[in-house]
Each structure stands twice: as structure tokens, then as C-alpha cells.
Amino acid sequence: MDTEKQDAVTHAPVSQDTGNGDLLIIEDLHTHFFTHDGIVRALDGIDLVLKSGKTLGIVGESGCGKTVLALSILRLIPNPPGRIVKGSIRFQGRDLLTLTEREIRQIRGNSISMIFQEPMTSLNPVFTIGSQLAEVVTLHQKRRAGTKAQAREVAIDMLKKVGIPSPEKRVRDYPHQLSGGMCQRVMIAMALACQPMLMIADEPTTALDVTTQAQILRLMNTLKEETGTSIIMVTHDLGIVAQTCQDVAVMYTGHVVEHAGVEAIFSCPLHPYTKGLMQSIPRMGEKVRGTRLYAIPGNVPTARNMPKGCSFNTRCPEVMEICRQETPPPFRPEPLHLVRCWRYAP
Ligand SMILES: Nc1ncnc2c1ncn2[C@@H]1O[C@H](COP(=O)(O)OP(=O)(O)OP(=O)(O)O)[C@@H](O)[C@H]1O
Ligand SMILES: [Mg+2]
């Protein structure tokens, strides 16, 4: 369906909450990249809601638009070739897309912070951990670092909070002297330094071994409870979602195809793509020897071979004729369960 026709489809409102329980409401968000090979519709009509104080998991295969979504919220899409062409991102009631560059800079790092996948590339190799932490605190004015000695104290305090041993020594270290897990803890300390309302973590533990991964996730959960910060957890790991999230948005080719509470997604997935993801998780206690783990057949379509209608129709075991003709709008079979699949048309 083209964009004009898509407009004609009445969108079910993503937010059911008219009070102040929703921190972030994204509606019909389109972010496109205008490349020599054509237009890449990285986000093609995203609808999602993040409730205050909760963790929302964003899951989906590589290339489905998770990082582009995170960068769109912060208005960090490189232009050219990218541009947010349509939609709204309401954060605490204000549409971030209508803010001036100065206003959005105030939001970044103060109200919304981000942790990137590769901590090594986000830390500056030529400055000590301590000076980088102190700079963040000073920049965002929440706690004035004052003198050099005070700055050092603040940095030590922050390192302590994220569980770094001997913080008095570590403030003098350079990033290359710390392990990947330690660097990620430093990134979390930086992201939380200005007490943001929202922290976006883009695959924060992908580069780490499983033990360190579990420690970092526990740390994020604890800090979330202490500070009340809401989290968007971008991951392709459903185990992480089960451990950390209250709500989940499942993405496929630039759409949120299913959005619901974590229990509903795991116990009663509705979208055939989500059902496939669930079937592909190995489960303890099930007889697995001699049986192959389920894999969703086929490949994710690219911008060049995107099928007409629902983008999952070439891989869907439940495909119907309408799926090959028209893109499904979001339907709401339950008040808090949103699904983009013609099977749930009222
Ligand atoms: N600068 C860019 N120029 C052109 N296309 C881009 C650019 N950045 C992202 N894209 C495209 O946008 C789509 C979504 O990419 P994105 O990085 O958000 O995927 P992802 O879900 O984060 O994947 P992964 O799990 O591998 O991190 C992809 O098709 C990607 O090729
Ligand atoms: Mg990514």
C-alpha cells in the first residue's frame, strides 16, 4: 500500500491512557534513507507507547529498524541520507519532532540518554574515565563538579554506584585499561548521571560474555528501581526481554507488528512472526535431541524485494489473499494488545 493509501487507514490509537501514565507515545513514524539505490523505508509507520517507570523491549531481526528507531527518538538520524518524513514522537506531552535544534539538545543527555552497543567506540580513548565522567556531570549541570578534586569525588561516586571495584584507582584509567563489561558500566554511569526520565539501551550487552551480561542487566534493573527511569531495551535476545521488560514491541521491516505486555507476548503471541520467534527459543526440559530448533522459513525482504501487502506474507504460514494485496493497519484484539495482521481485523 502506498503512503497515501496508508493514510486512509484509520489507525487505532496506540495510547489507551489519557492521563500521565505514558512517558513516550510514537505514532505513525516514518524514517527513510534516500540512497542512490532508492528509498530505504527503515521505519514505515511505527506506533508504540512507553509507560512511565517501565522497561519496553524492542525486538526483531537484524535490519528491522531498531537502531534507526532509537536514533529517531533522539533526532540523531544522519541527514543526508536519512530523514524523518512523517509521524510524531510525544515525550512528556511534547512532540520532539517540532522542537528546535536547541530544545532537542536540552532533551538529549538531560531527559533522554542513550547507551550504545559498543562502549569502546563511545568512550574517548585519550581521556581518563574520571575526566569523561566529570565532563558529563558538568555539562548537564545537575551536580556541579566544581574544582578538580570535587570532580574526581563525583566520578568516584558514580563508578561506585555501577559496581566498579576500587573506583579511586579506576578514575585514573583510560578506556583501553578496562574490560568490555567495565566500559559498559561506565557508559551506564554516564547515561544515568543526569538522572534522565528515559534511557535508551541499544543492545547494551551484545558484546559481553553471558556472566557479565547478567551482571549488567541486573545493575540496570536495580538502578531503574532506584531512580524511576524508564528504559527502552533494544535487543534481539528474547531471554533478555523476559528478564527485564514489562512491555514488548516486536519489529519487522520497519513496522511494529505486535505490541503488548511481556506475559501476553510470551504466553499468547498473536502475530505469525512473533509466534515464529517464540518457537525458535530452546526451552529447558523439552526433548530436543534429534529435533531441529524451529527457524522461520525464508529471509527478511530488503527494500528492493519488499513484497506488496504485508511484508511478512512471503514467510507467513497463515497467509491469506488480502495479505498479498494490502498492508495491515494496527488492530487491537485486546485493549492493551496491538497487532498488525489481517487475521485480527474486526
Ligand atoms: N545511514 C544509512 N543509510 C542507508 N540505510 C540505512 C542507514 N542506516 C540504516 N539504514 C537501513 O535501515 C534499516 C534498519 O537499520 P537498523 O540499523 O535500524 O537495523 P537494526 O534493527 O538495528 O539491526 P541490528 O540488529 O543489526 O542492529 C536497514 O535496512 C539499514 O540498512
Ligand atoms: Mg542496531
Side-chain angles (χ1 to χ4, degrees):
M1 200 191 274
D2 60 30
T3 311
E4 283 73 35
K5 277 192 191 156
Q6 183 101 42
D7 279 348
V9 173
T10 322
H11 277 230
V14 286
S15 172
Q16 292 275 293
D17 192 338
T18 48
N20 52 11
D22 295 338
L23 181 66
L24 181 81
I25 303 170
I26 299 181
E27 285 185 304
D28 202 23
L29 183 67
H30 296 249
T31 301
H32 297 174
F33 291 93
F34 299 85
T35 69
H36 293 304
D37 283 346
I39 301 173
V40 178
R41 291 177 167 81
L43 301 185
D44 202 14
I46 293 283
D47 299 292
L48 61 81
V49 175
L50 170 65
K51 299 186 198 94
S52 274
K54 304 284 184 205
T55 301
L56 167 70
I58 309 276
V59 287
E61 281 163 288
S62 187
C64 69
K66 304 183 294 296
T67 298
V68 171
L69 174 60
L71 295 177
S72 297
I73 295 170
L74 287 166
R75 289 214 352 223
L76 287 174
I77 294 295
N79 179 8
R83 195 152 45 86
I84 296 174
V85 292
K86 196 172 157 215
S88 66
I89 303 176
R90 271 181 292 143
F91 176 72
Q92 294 185 295
R94 291 164 91 195
D95 185 355
L96 299 182
L97 300 184
T98 61
L99 301 186
T100 62
E101 204 39 56
R102 195 159 168 246
E103 287 168 329
I104 193 75
R105 264 206 305 273
Q106 283 292 320
I107 298 265
R108 269 184 227 137
N110 279 322
S111 310
I112 308 179
S113 61
M114 180 150 175
I115 305 176
F116 293 91
Q117 180 173 346
E118 286 290 341
M120 280 301 187
T121 56
S122 311
L123 289 168
N124 193 326
V126 299
F127 292 105
T128 63
I129 298 299
S131 65
Q132 293 188 58
L133 280 169
E135 189 189 354
V136 171
V137 176
T138 312
L139 261 181
H140 295 293
Q141 309 276 314
K142 287 269 163 77
R143 287 162 77 185
R144 279 198 174 277
T147 64
K148 236 179 163 182
Q150 281 169 334
R152 191 167 168 271
E153 283 310 308
V154 170
I156 291 172
D157 191 36
M158 285 160 73
L159 290 180
K160 238 185 232 157
K161 245 198 197 123
V162 292
I164 292 200
S166 327
E168 300 79 11
K169 283 189 200 140
R170 292 305 195 178
V171 282
R172 288 196 295 270
D173 282 354
Y174 290 87
H176 75 270
Q177 292 171 287
L178 301 183
S179 67
M182 291 284 180
C183 281
Q184 201 54 297
R185 282 174 196 262
V186 172
M187 292 307 299
I188 292 171
M190 280 186 182
L192 288 172
C194 44
Q195 296 153 10
M197 301 291 297
L198 167 61
M199 181 161 77
I200 304 175
D202 189 0
E203 310 251 10
T205 57
T206 305
L208 307 174
D209 63 80
V210 282
T211 316
T212 316
Q213 174 172 309
Q215 289 167 354
I216 297 285
L217 293 176
R218 257 201 308 276
L219 170 70
M220 287 180 67
N221 268 345
T222 312
L223 294 175
K224 189 196 90 171
E225 295 303 322
E226 280 172 23
T227 58
T229 297
S230 308
I231 298 178
I232 290 183
M233 178 74 77
V234 174
T235 179
H236 57 260
D237 185 333
L238 288 164
I240 292 180
V241 170
Q243 275 175 51
T244 58
C245 302
Q246 287 79 51
D247 290 299
V248 187
V250 181
M251 283 186 69
Y252 189 76
T253 59
H255 292 117
V256 169
V257 293
E258 189 160 1
H259 188 8
V262 71
E263 289 88 6
I265 290 278
F266 278 87
S267 64
C268 174
L270 299 181
H271 198 284
Y273 175 63
T274 319
K275 289 182 196 170
L277 286 182
M278 292 300 156
Q279 278 180 53
S280 57
I281 315 174
R283 284 173 210 280
M284 292 278 284
E286 268 179 23
K287 190 171 166 258
V288 286
R289 190 172 295 175
T291 56
R292 271 172 178 263
L293 203 54
Y294 178 79
I296 300 169
N299 295 312
V300 182
T302 61
R304 278 168 175 272
N305 65 3
M306 198 58 73
K308 193 175 169 210
C310 171
S311 57
F312 190 58
N313 75 37
T314 51
R315 305 172 77 188
C316 182
E318 300 178 43
V319 64
M320 305 182 294
E321 196 39 47
I322 189 171
C323 312
R324 298 199 175 93
Q325 303 303 326
E326 292 188 36
T327 308
F331 296 111
R332 200 187 279 281
E334 296 286 334
L336 297 175
H337 203 138
L338 197 139
V339 59
R340 264 180 183 261
C341 173
W342 284 116
R343 293 228 161 241
Y344 303 94

Short mmCIF file of all heavy atoms in Angstrom, two decimals, residues 33-35 40-43 60-69 78 81-82 117 202-203 234 236, ligand 1:
data_model
loop_
_atom_site.label_atom_id
_atom_site.label_comp_id
_atom_site.label_asym_id
_atom_site.label_seq_id
_atom_site.Cartn_x
_atom_site.Cartn_y
_atom_site.Cartn_z
N PHE A 33 15.67 6.53 4.27
CA PHE A 33 17.02 6.88 3.78
C PHE A 33 16.95 6.99 2.27
O PHE A 33 16.49 6.06 1.60
CB PHE A 33 18.03 5.81 4.22
CG PHE A 33 18.27 5.82 5.70
CD1 PHE A 33 17.55 4.99 6.54
CD2 PHE A 33 19.20 6.69 6.27
CE1 PHE A 33 17.75 5.01 7.91
CE2 PHE A 33 19.41 6.71 7.64
CZ PHE A 33 18.68 5.87 8.47
N PHE A 34 17.37 8.14 1.76
CA PHE A 34 17.29 8.38 0.32
C PHE A 34 18.67 8.07 -0.28
O PHE A 34 19.58 8.90 -0.22
CB PHE A 34 16.86 9.83 0.06
CG PHE A 34 15.49 10.09 0.65
CD1 PHE A 34 15.35 10.46 1.99
CD2 PHE A 34 14.35 9.91 -0.11
CE1 PHE A 34 14.09 10.67 2.54
CE2 PHE A 34 13.08 10.12 0.43
CZ PHE A 34 12.96 10.49 1.77
N THR A 35 18.82 6.84 -0.77
CA THR A 35 20.12 6.39 -1.24
C THR A 35 20.14 6.35 -2.77
O THR A 35 19.09 6.49 -3.41
CB THR A 35 20.44 4.97 -0.71
OG1 THR A 35 19.56 4.04 -1.36
CG2 THR A 35 20.22 4.87 0.79
N VAL A 40 15.12 3.66 1.24
CA VAL A 40 15.04 2.59 2.24
C VAL A 40 14.06 3.08 3.32
O VAL A 40 14.33 4.06 4.02
CB VAL A 40 16.42 2.30 2.87
CG1 VAL A 40 16.31 1.23 3.95
CG2 VAL A 40 17.44 1.90 1.81
N ARG A 41 12.91 2.40 3.42
CA ARG A 41 11.90 2.79 4.42
C ARG A 41 12.23 2.08 5.74
O ARG A 41 11.59 1.09 6.09
CB ARG A 41 10.51 2.43 3.92
CG ARG A 41 10.07 3.28 2.74
CD ARG A 41 8.72 2.90 2.19
NE ARG A 41 8.23 3.91 1.28
CZ ARG A 41 8.60 4.03 0.01
NH1 ARG A 41 9.45 3.16 -0.50
NH2 ARG A 41 8.12 4.99 -0.75
N ALA A 42 13.24 2.59 6.43
CA ALA A 42 13.73 1.92 7.64
C ALA A 42 12.66 1.87 8.72
O ALA A 42 12.53 0.87 9.42
CB ALA A 42 14.98 2.61 8.15
N LEU A 43 11.90 2.95 8.87
CA LEU A 43 10.71 2.94 9.74
C LEU A 43 9.55 3.31 8.85
O LEU A 43 9.57 4.34 8.17
CB LEU A 43 10.84 3.95 10.88
CG LEU A 43 12.02 3.79 11.85
CD1 LEU A 43 11.90 4.80 12.98
CD2 LEU A 43 12.13 2.38 12.41
N GLY A 60 13.50 -7.83 17.30
CA GLY A 60 13.33 -8.08 15.87
C GLY A 60 14.67 -8.42 15.24
O GLY A 60 15.72 -8.13 15.81
N GLU A 61 14.59 -9.04 14.05
CA GLU A 61 15.82 -9.48 13.38
C GLU A 61 16.68 -8.29 12.94
O GLU A 61 16.19 -7.17 12.84
CB GLU A 61 15.44 -10.32 12.14
CG GLU A 61 15.05 -11.74 12.47
CD GLU A 61 14.30 -12.40 11.33
OE1 GLU A 61 13.14 -12.04 11.09
OE2 GLU A 61 14.88 -13.28 10.68
N SER A 62 17.93 -8.60 12.62
CA SER A 62 18.86 -7.58 12.17
C SER A 62 18.28 -6.82 10.97
O SER A 62 17.73 -7.42 10.06
CB SER A 62 20.17 -8.28 11.77
OG SER A 62 21.12 -7.32 11.48
N GLY A 63 18.40 -5.50 11.02
CA GLY A 63 17.95 -4.68 9.88
C GLY A 63 16.49 -4.27 9.94
O GLY A 63 16.01 -3.57 9.05
N CYS A 64 15.76 -4.66 11.01
CA CYS A 64 14.33 -4.34 11.05
C CYS A 64 14.07 -2.88 11.45
O CYS A 64 12.94 -2.41 11.36
CB CYS A 64 13.57 -5.30 11.96
SG CYS A 64 13.95 -5.08 13.70
N GLY A 65 15.10 -2.18 11.92
CA GLY A 65 14.93 -0.75 12.20
C GLY A 65 15.05 -0.36 13.67
O GLY A 65 14.71 0.75 14.04
N LYS A 66 15.60 -1.24 14.50
CA LYS A 66 15.67 -0.98 15.95
C LYS A 66 16.55 0.24 16.25
O LYS A 66 16.16 1.13 16.99
CB LYS A 66 16.20 -2.22 16.70
CG LYS A 66 15.38 -3.48 16.45
CD LYS A 66 15.88 -4.66 17.25
CE LYS A 66 17.26 -5.18 16.89
NZ LYS A 66 17.39 -5.74 15.53
N THR A 67 17.76 0.25 15.67
CA THR A 67 18.68 1.36 15.94
C THR A 67 18.15 2.66 15.32
O THR A 67 18.23 3.73 15.94
CB THR A 67 20.08 1.03 15.41
OG1 THR A 67 20.56 -0.12 16.11
CG2 THR A 67 21.05 2.18 15.61
N VAL A 68 17.58 2.55 14.13
CA VAL A 68 17.01 3.75 13.48
C VAL A 68 15.90 4.33 14.36
O VAL A 68 15.77 5.55 14.52
CB VAL A 68 16.51 3.42 12.05
CG1 VAL A 68 15.72 4.59 11.47
CG2 VAL A 68 17.68 3.06 11.14
N LEU A 69 15.12 3.46 15.00
CA LEU A 69 14.06 3.93 15.90
C LEU A 69 14.68 4.69 17.08
O LEU A 69 14.25 5.80 17.42
CB LEU A 69 13.22 2.74 16.40
CG LEU A 69 12.18 3.06 17.46
CD1 LEU A 69 11.17 4.08 16.95
CD2 LEU A 69 11.45 1.79 17.90
N PRO A 78 21.32 10.59 10.60
CA PRO A 78 22.20 11.37 9.72
C PRO A 78 21.45 11.85 8.47
O PRO A 78 20.84 11.06 7.76
CB PRO A 78 23.30 10.36 9.35
CG PRO A 78 22.71 9.01 9.59
CD PRO A 78 21.70 9.17 10.67
N PRO A 81 21.89 10.69 4.42
CA PRO A 81 20.78 10.37 3.52
C PRO A 81 19.44 10.19 4.22
O PRO A 81 18.43 10.01 3.57
CB PRO A 81 21.23 9.02 2.95
CG PRO A 81 21.96 8.37 4.09
CD PRO A 81 22.65 9.50 4.83
N GLY A 82 19.41 10.29 5.58
CA GLY A 82 18.17 9.93 6.27
C GLY A 82 17.31 11.12 6.59
O GLY A 82 17.79 12.26 6.66
N GLN A 117 25.75 0.10 21.64
CA GLN A 117 26.15 -1.31 21.64
C GLN A 117 27.62 -1.50 21.95
O GLN A 117 28.00 -2.39 22.68
CB GLN A 117 25.80 -1.89 20.27
CG GLN A 117 26.14 -3.33 20.10
CD GLN A 117 25.59 -3.86 18.78
OE1 GLN A 117 24.78 -3.23 18.14
NE2 GLN A 117 26.06 -5.01 18.38
N ASP A 202 20.77 0.41 23.41
CA ASP A 202 20.76 -0.31 22.13
C ASP A 202 21.69 -1.51 22.24
O ASP A 202 22.91 -1.36 22.18
CB ASP A 202 21.21 0.63 21.00
CG ASP A 202 21.01 0.00 19.62
OD1 ASP A 202 20.54 -1.16 19.55
OD2 ASP A 202 21.33 0.67 18.62
N GLU A 203 21.12 -2.69 22.42
CA GLU A 203 21.89 -3.94 22.56
C GLU A 203 23.04 -3.73 23.55
O GLU A 203 24.21 -3.93 23.20
CB GLU A 203 22.45 -4.38 21.20
CG GLU A 203 21.41 -4.38 20.10
CD GLU A 203 21.04 -5.78 19.65
OE1 GLU A 203 21.44 -6.76 20.32
OE2 GLU A 203 20.33 -5.88 18.65
N VAL A 234 16.68 -2.22 23.52
CA VAL A 234 16.74 -2.75 22.16
C VAL A 234 17.55 -4.03 22.18
O VAL A 234 18.68 -4.05 22.68
CB VAL A 234 17.41 -1.74 21.21
CG1 VAL A 234 17.61 -2.33 19.83
CG2 VAL A 234 16.60 -0.46 21.13
N HIS A 236 17.96 -8.35 20.32
CA HIS A 236 17.35 -9.40 19.51
C HIS A 236 17.23 -10.67 20.36
O HIS A 236 16.91 -11.74 19.85
CB HIS A 236 18.16 -9.64 18.23
CG HIS A 236 19.57 -9.98 18.51
ND1 HIS A 236 20.59 -9.06 18.42
CD2 HIS A 236 20.13 -11.11 18.94
CE1 HIS A 236 21.72 -9.63 18.77
NE2 HIS A 236 21.47 -10.88 19.09
N1 LIG B 1 22.85 5.63 7.02
C1 LIG B 1 22.05 4.75 6.39
N2 LIG B 1 21.92 4.76 5.04
C2 LIG B 1 21.11 3.90 4.40
N3 LIG B 1 20.39 2.95 5.01
C3 LIG B 1 20.49 2.87 6.35
C4 LIG B 1 21.32 3.75 7.11
N4 LIG B 1 21.21 3.42 8.43
C5 LIG B 1 20.36 2.38 8.48
N5 LIG B 1 19.92 2.05 7.25
C6 LIG B 1 18.99 0.97 6.91
O1 LIG B 1 17.88 0.99 7.78
C7 LIG B 1 17.44 -0.32 8.07
C8 LIG B 1 17.35 -0.50 9.57
O2 LIG B 1 18.66 -0.50 10.12
P1 LIG B 1 18.95 -0.60 11.69
O3 LIG B 1 20.37 -0.28 11.89
O4 LIG B 1 17.96 0.21 12.44
O5 LIG B 1 18.68 -2.15 11.97
P2 LIG B 1 18.71 -2.91 13.39
O6 LIG B 1 17.33 -3.48 13.60
O7 LIG B 1 19.24 -2.01 14.43
O8 LIG B 1 19.70 -4.13 13.07
P3 LIG B 1 20.83 -4.82 14.01
O9 LIG B 1 20.08 -5.83 14.86
O10 LIG B 1 21.71 -5.48 13.02
O11 LIG B 1 21.49 -3.75 14.81
C9 LIG B 1 18.42 -1.28 7.40
O12 LIG B 1 17.85 -1.71 6.19
C10 LIG B 1 19.62 -0.40 7.14
O13 LIG B 1 20.32 -0.84 6.01
#
